[in-house]
Amino acid sequence: MKRRDMTGGVVHQARKVNGAQLVECKHGRVKSNPRPYIVSNFEGHRELVTGSTCEDLLASGCKIFDVPRTDCRLVLEDGTEIDDEYLATCGDYTVLVILKASEQIKYTQVKAQQMIANIGRLLASGPQKLNKIFDPVKDELVNKMLGHIQSLEAPRDLLLADSKEEDPKWFEGEKRAVSKRSVLRDRAKTRIKGYYYKSKDEMQKRLGESEKGCVRHLFEEFLRLLKQNDHNGHYFVRGDTGALCLSDGQFTCQGTFNKDLCSGRLHVINPYASREQLVIFSTWNLDHRIERSRSILPTMSKAIQLADGRAVNAEYFYRLLFTTENLKLVHPVCHIKSEHDGYCCDPGSWYTDNTTQNDGRGDESVKRMRKSGQSTE
């Protein structure tokens, strides 16, 4: 029943939504008690927040995800924008997405991926007779369906386009770029260069003045090899020999450090398809199976200290730090940040003469010293 307040405004009778939500409509505005929601950003990171209006949730979410409030909007998982009145009808812990102006949800693609995941589970849990029929072609079937998702993301002509003239929207924010391949080459080179400069800085801090000459020589050799191989920029360039993607630019997660394949069949991406996919691709990692900071750098330090006139094997450590002999391209979910047990440098490869200092400790001593809190320098 409606009633009028002293100012002449209409106040609607309080009502419950979803069995518990108290809502009052006054002067056409919807008010509700603070309730819990799950807010997500475009990359899929989720946080629990409470609020009673869209503005409450936007303010909290933008603060959590460190994005400017003026550039964002609140939507459902399918991309539908909502207002306070719709929010009042949502259940507790509804997932809401905060998008920046440049971001857009591709709901059809998401639903297609969910469908493929369901098919995969069906094939895995079906009757023995069904498994016998589908097992030989299951992987091929799933991979083909994943490939078809690309057509939902971008038309084939735009997917295969390479120049700014062919696909101008893809190049938004890339002022100097002339082709998609050049952008992806630069992205790969930037990652490899990052490993170089970060490792060089850490090694200089690990060792004393008397050993810094060896560090300098070692990294000069690394730089020579990197320049010789164009900083391995070909890793992200479709069509290049040694590229980590298919000819159309589709990358597939290579799985966690200790697996040969990715267990998540939907961990595929094509940064050549759209600007959105290019942005998401930046969250994928080149993961060191033998860890850079926990194993490679401590071992290099130890090798320098125990060299006793021998030449440290720069090519071996170069391959571990900067090449796919030790690097795997992985989806964020498959990037394991805890210690990679069982993956250590080979003591027989520390020096160019393939011998190690006769102390019998090898790389395992580096691990023991690290775990006990001792210096590995």
Side-chain angles (χ1 to χ4, degrees), residues 313-331:
N313 192 344
E315 186 175 344
Y316 170 68
F317 289 111
Y318 165 82
R319 295 198 306 270
L320 293 186
L321 284 170
F322 308 115
T323 77
T324 50
E325 181 174 316
N326 187 47
L327 290 171
K328 298 184 75 174
L329 181 67
V330 297
H331 183 278

Side-chain angles (χ1 to χ4, degrees), residues 87-263:
L87 182 68
T89 69
C90 295
D92 290 354
Y93 305 106
T94 295
V95 177
L96 303 169
V97 185
I98 294 177
L99 296 180
K100 293 189 288 188
S102 59
E103 296 170 340
Q104 183 179 0
I105 291 178
K106 303 291 186 181
Y107 190 58
T108 305
Q109 183 186 19
V110 172
K111 298 305 289 184
Q113 288 177 329
Q114 291 174 350
M115 178 191 71
I116 293 173
N118 290 335
I119 291 174
R121 284 192 288 270
L122 174 64
L123 294 178
S125 61
Q128 187 174 1
K129 185 176 180 180
L130 184 65
N131 284 337
K132 188 175 181 180
I133 295 172
F134 279 101
D135 259 352
V137 297
K138 183 168 60 178
D139 289 342
E140 182 182 357
L141 176 64
V142 171
N143 286 334
K144 281 187 176 181
M145 287 191 290
L146 288 172
H148 288 314
I149 288 180
Q150 298 299 337
S151 63
L152 301 174
E153 177 64 27
R156 188 71 178 171
D157 59 330
L158 292 183
L159 175 66
L160 298 179
D162 193 57
S163 70
K164 196 169 187 176
E165 291 73 22
E166 293 173 299
D167 190 1
K169 190 173 181 180
W170 191 94
F171 288 86
E172 291 176 0
E174 304 289 343
K175 295 181 180 179
R176 298 182 179 180
V178 295
S179 70
K180 293 181 181 180
R181 295 173 80 250
S182 67
V183 171
L184 269 299
R185 186 182 301 279
D186 286 343
R187 297 290 173 94
K189 291 168 67 173
T190 296
R191 296 199 191 195
I192 298 298
K193 287 178 181 179
Y195 293 144
Y196 172 83
Y197 288 111
K198 190 173 182 180
S199 299
K200 183 179 180 181
D201 182 60
E202 290 180 23
M203 283 295 291
Q204 289 174 333
K205 292 177 180 178
R206 283 177 177 273
L207 297 171
E209 288 297 326
S210 62
E211 293 144 337
K212 285 187 177 179
C214 185
V215 173
R216 183 172 60 254
H217 173 76
L218 194 59
F219 277 83
E220 285 174 354
E221 182 63 12
F222 288 162
L223 186 58
R224 184 188 70 80
L225 291 168
L226 285 171
K227 288 181 177 179
Q228 180 179 303
N229 294 287
D230 193 27
H231 292 85
N232 295 323
H234 61 277
Y235 286 160
F236 293 171
V237 182
R238 63 183 179 187
D240 274 17
T241 302
L244 299 176
C245 59
L246 300 178
S247 59
D248 66 354
Q250 178 177 294
F251 292 85
T252 300
C253 174
Q254 296 178 320
T256 57
F257 72 93
N258 56 350
K259 302 290 184 182
D260 292 331
L261 297 171
C262 175
S263 58

